[in-house]
Amino acid sequence: MRRTAATAPTLHAGRHGAESEVGAGAATGTGAGAGLRTEFPFTLPRGYVDEHGTVHRDGVMRLATARDELVPLRDDRVRENPAYLSVVLISRVVTRIGTVDDIHPGVIEDLFASDLAFLQDFYRRVNAEGHTRAAVTCPSCQEEFAVDLAGGRLGES
């Protein structure tokens, strides 16, 4: 059974147009009416290019289950090449990239290296840290702030 996000954190645009989270209850799933957030939207840095040359950048990743982490260990491709584990694992938890909803290891293999690295980091943030925020520092003024990797474009709220 697939669960969807019942509540998402409330975001607002800050000084640098980055989003920051407001309300801890929304992020942790605590409080009245709060649910467990199990799907996280993302935008790939470069995008998946399908067989027709169409670029797909927006996608969705769901939380991993124990099965998602165990099943790839039985895959012969992973046994032969342990580095292939991330390809199989990412293909199990990404539910959509653009209009492509049949995500399999072949799709992940065809991603640009920067997009695969993005998804590996996104997976770690979602499943290990429980959020999609990254701490960054403005190169001009050195102010530190957080950006939501799952959020929209800069300046949106």
Side-chain angles (χ1 to χ4, degrees):
M1 177 174 86
R2 181 177 290 176
R3 294 186 187 120
T4 57
T7 60
T10 303
L11 302 171
H12 73 278
R15 175 177 169 189
H16 292 282
E19 296 175 338
S20 61
E21 190 169 306
V22 179
T28 61
T30 60
L36 177 63
R37 184 174 180 193
T38 61
E39 292 186 333
F40 299 84
F42 61 81
T43 301
L44 294 173
R46 298 207 187 279
Y48 168 67
V49 181
D50 68 18
E51 65 275 4
H52 304 291
T54 304
V55 179
H56 304 270
R57 294 188 62 213
D58 295 324
V60 176
M61 179 183 288
R62 65 171 175 77
L63 282 177
T65 64
R67 176 175 284 126
D68 290 324
E69 295 203 347
L70 294 172
V71 167
L73 299 175
R74 296 187 302 228
D75 190 303
D76 289 336
R77 297 167 295 187
V78 173
R79 288 182 179 168
E80 292 175 17
N81 180 4
Y84 200 73
L85 173 65
S86 67
V87 170
V88 176
L89 183 57
I90 295 296
S91 73
R92 291 182 61 89
V93 297
V94 170
T95 60
R96 181 183 60 78
I97 301 175
T99 59
V100 179
D101 56 8
D102 179 22
I103 307 299
H104 51 82
V107 171
I108 303 303
E109 286 176 354
D110 287 342
L111 291 174
F112 293 104
S114 59
D115 289 332
L116 177 59
F118 170 85
L119 288 174
Q120 290 169 330
D121 183 58
F122 195 73
Y123 177 92
R124 181 184 56 77
R125 289 179 185 284
V126 165
N127 290 285
E129 299 177 14
H131 61 79
T132 57
R133 294 178 310 280
V136 296
T137 303
C138 175
S140 298
C141 69
Q142 303 305 309
E143 179 182 347
E144 294 181 2
F145 57 98
V147 295
D148 189 341
L149 297 176
R153 306 277 187 256
L154 289 177
E156 290 182 353
S157 57

